[in-house]
Every structure is written in structure tokens, then in C-alpha cells.
Amino acid sequence: MAASGAAIGVENLDVAYGRTKVLHDVSLTIPAGRFVALIGSSGCGKTTLLRAISGFVTPQRGRILVDERDVTAEPPERRGMAMVFQSYALWPHMSAAQNVGYGLKLRGMGRAERARKVDEILELLRLQGFGERKVTDLSGGQRQRVALGRALAIDPPILLLDEPLSNLDAKIRLAMRHELKSLHRRLGLTAVHVTHDQEEAMVMADEIVVLDQGRIVQQGAPEDVYRRPNSSFVASFLGADNIIEGEVRRDSDGAKLTLADGGALDLPTAPEGHGRHVIQFRSDAVRLDDDAAGPALRLDGRIAQASYPGGRWRYEIDTPAGRFLVDDSRRASAGDAVRLAIPAEELHIFPR
């Protein structure tokens, strides 16, 4: 099976449902062969953007381009795209093979050629021997593969994925993430994936697009967006939920961060602005008992609660600056006095 990707362009897109505007002047370029994840809070517009690209939603303003061809007014079936839905949308009275071959049948492909193509798809998705089974007799992971196979059977240059893994249990979901990424690399198609799962986006995508209230607020490679969020919202959405307020002051030697409780840190890199700032950091960025090398924000605290979710201990720690979540490999108990050290490079600092 061979497939190749197509470039997608979104230009100044506005979408509304009735009087409620959902997308505001959204522009986005997706090069051919890229795997892009759309992420953001519930209601941010990521699914609406995907449905506008696919043709299931009509924009008020703007254009959708595929390889520089304007497809804004074209129906979904003429856009060269295939979509995998969250619910899979399989025909329950059909076998797995019939579901996979359904789009080929609609396109008038002959029975023999269709059977060959379906067998090829089933083998690609490791579903050999399942073709004659009704989809109602398949597991969730197998149904997901059938839905994916139906989309891939028509050799689409663009694959759209609307949270297709959200209905799977945790173990199967982890496996399918890597299978989808592997398929993308093998087939070379362009993929746009909507997910509410930050880790899923990080694992699967070449590029992440973060939306908030109908606007794109940041996009880039997963590591860049994760390590260098450009706003408090993006930092929080990507796991930096521990928050402190402080003051940033500049002088001839650089910039200094000062907390209300008197804690202070000379910043190796001056953040934007001065005065009141919000400081955010992730639970796994903290080092207990002050073993961080280099510049770090240090806070004395006491463990209020300890739990073990697996792999690492999770602590709620009270400090003069507030209560924070900390993940650490060492074991401690509620009531223990500890010292937190947050390396300067792990602090995300934004003007208040």
C-alpha cells in the first residue's frame, strides 16, 4: 500500500454556531506528510477546526486549501480526506472486511480488486483472520483498527482523527498511539489529530497546535511547546499547575525574582516585563531536600499528604508560598519537613 501526503492551508477562518462564534480568524499551514495534533481545553474549537477542514462545518469567512487548491465550497467526499471518528461509526450489521471495503464499493471498485485491497489493509493493521467477524464481536482496539482501515482503504493523502483513542482502555490506547505513529511514517500521509490528552499529542505528533477560546495561541514541535510555553494558559495546560506569585525586578546585573515570603532567585534569563509575575512549574521538576545543581528557587515545607500512583511518590507539600504537588522517587511520610528546590530553567514566568 502506498500513500502520500498533501499540504493543508487554513486562512483567516471564522466559524460560528448560530450567534456563538467558535473560531476567530484562525490561520494554519500544515506541510505535506506532517502529523499535527490540535489540543486545548474542552470547547476551545479544536474539533470545530477539524470539521471545517474536513468539510462538515461551513465557515463564515476564510478559506481551506489542499495543495493550494481552494476546497472551501467542496463537499467532504471531494477533498481527498478520510476521517476516523471518536465513535468509530462502523456498520454493526457488516463484517470487519465489509466495513473496510465500504468506501471502495461506493467508488465502484470491482469485487476481486476490492477483496485484494481489503486483505492488504487487514494485514497492514494486523487483523488477518478477523475479516469475516461482525464488528460487534470485536474488541474496542480491533474496532478502532477497522475504522482506521476503512479510512486508509481509499488511499487518502490526508487523514483526520477526531479523538479516535478516547474510548479505549489505557493499555490498548498506549499501544495504538505507537501503531498510528508507525503507520503515519510508513504511509507518508498528512495527519491532523484532535485530542484532549497532552501525553498522546506529545507522543504522536510532529507539531502541536494549542487552541484557546477559538484562537491558536501556540504551535511548534512538542518539545519546544512543552519546554517553552508562551503563556500561563499553555504552561498550565501542559502540566505546569503549581503556581506562585512574585515580583521581577531588573538591575544592572540582570533580573531577580522575589516571593512574598522573602524567597528570592537571581534569574539567568530575564522574563518579559517587570513587576508582578506568575511563576509556574511542574510537579516532576521539583527536587526534594535541596539537591538541585545550579540556580534554583528554594522553599521550606512540610508534607501534608503522600500517595503512590506508581513509579514515583506524589506529595502535597505546604510551604509559606502555598501548597504544591511534587513527584519524587524517594519515599517520605506526611508530616516530614522537606526542602524544595525548583531549578531556574524549570520555572515558567509570565507577567501578571
Side-chain angles (χ1 to χ4, degrees):
M1 178 178 179
S4 58
I8 302 172
V10 178
E11 296 182 351
N12 308 113
L13 206 68
D14 287 349
V15 174
Y17 296 129
R19 295 184 178 182
T20 303
K21 201 166 186 179
V22 181
L23 294 180
H24 305 265
D25 195 29
V26 170
S27 294
L28 176 66
T29 299
I30 301 175
R34 299 285 283 176
F35 194 124
V36 173
L38 307 179
I39 64 174
S41 305
S42 179
C44 70
K46 56 187 183 293
T47 296
T48 297
L49 177 55
L50 189 77
R51 292 177 67 84
I53 292 171
S54 67
F56 290 109
V57 168
T58 302
Q60 289 181 314
R61 183 178 74 97
R63 298 196 303 165
I64 305 292
L65 307 175
V66 174
D67 280 343
E68 300 185 353
R69 178 173 66 92
D70 190 339
V71 300
T72 312
E74 295 189 3
E77 64 272 16
R78 295 186 58 188
R79 296 193 178 198
M81 305 176 186
M83 193 161 182
V84 180
F85 298 92
Q86 181 178 354
S87 63
Y88 310 149
L90 299 172
W91 296 105
H93 63 285
M94 292 183 182
S95 68
Q98 288 170 329
N99 268 280
V100 170
Y102 185 72
L104 301 175
K105 185 177 181 180
L106 291 180
R107 285 163 172 75
M109 182 179 286
R111 181 176 297 179
E113 186 180 359
R114 189 166 71 243
R116 179 194 59 77
K117 183 73 171 180
V118 168
D119 287 344
E120 182 183 350
I121 293 292
L122 293 176
E123 182 178 356
L124 179 70
L125 297 174
R126 296 188 291 110
L127 286 171
Q128 305 98 311
F130 292 91
E132 299 309 312
R133 291 196 191 181
K134 292 285 181 65
V135 293
T136 51
D137 296 330
L138 299 178
S139 69
Q142 290 165 342
R143 292 183 195 184
Q144 195 274 345
R145 289 179 190 160
V146 171
L148 181 60
R150 182 179 58 187
L152 295 176
I154 61 173
D155 290 332
I158 296 171
L159 181 65
L160 307 178
L161 303 156
D162 186 11
E163 300 199 54
L165 308 184
S166 61
N167 291 333
L168 303 178
D169 64 45
K171 184 176 180 180
I172 297 174
R173 188 165 62 247
L174 290 174
M176 287 307 303
R177 289 175 185 174
H178 294 282
E179 289 196 21
L180 277 171
K181 182 64 176 176
S182 177
L183 280 171
H184 168 255
R185 288 173 176 164
R186 289 172 60 186
L187 301 179
L189 40 71
T190 305
V192 185
H193 178 42
V194 164
T195 179
H196 64 277
D197 188 320
Q198 167 217 320
E199 183 178 315
E200 184 171 292
M202 296 289 293
V203 168
M204 298 176 65
D206 303 315
E207 184 167 349
I208 288 177
V209 176
V210 186
L211 288 97
D212 181 33
Q213 300 182 54
R215 294 178 171 86
I216 293 174
V217 292
Q218 189 168 357
Q219 65 186 92
E223 184 178 5
D224 289 340
V225 176
Y226 185 83
R227 292 188 176 278
R228 288 174 286 278
N230 64 5
S231 69
S232 177
F233 168 80
V234 175
S236 181
F237 187 79
L238 295 180
D241 288 326
N242 289 314
I243 299 175
I244 311 174
E245 290 197 5
E247 295 276 339
V248 173
R249 298 294 179 209
R250 285 187 170 85
D251 56 30
S252 58
D253 296 325
K256 174 172 283 191
L257 171 66
T258 303
L259 306 185
D261 70 339
L265 171 66
D266 290 324
L267 298 172
T269 303
E272 179 184 344
H274 64 277
R276 291 182 66 80
H277 279 61
V278 173
I279 303 99
Q280 296 173 235
F281 57 93
R282 297 184 175 90
S283 59
D284 61 359
V286 182
R287 309 291 181 263
L288 286 186
D289 297 327
D290 201 11
D291 63 353
L297 183 63
R298 291 176 169 83
L299 302 168
D300 291 317
R302 190 170 298 276
I303 295 175
Q305 185 168 301
S307 60
Y308 188 74
R312 297 171 71 85
W313 286 87
R314 176 156 295 169
Y315 302 108
E316 292 183 38
I317 300 178
D318 287 326
T319 78
R323 176 175 287 195
F324 305 117
L325 287 177
V326 173
D327 292 335
D328 198 272
S329 59
R330 72 195 67 189
R331 182 172 184 171
S333 301
D336 288 355
V338 292
R339 196 169 205 215
L340 284 61
I342 309 104
E345 65 270 17
E346 299 288 353
L347 298 171
H348 304 293
I349 305 173
F350 307 102
R352 185 80 172 103

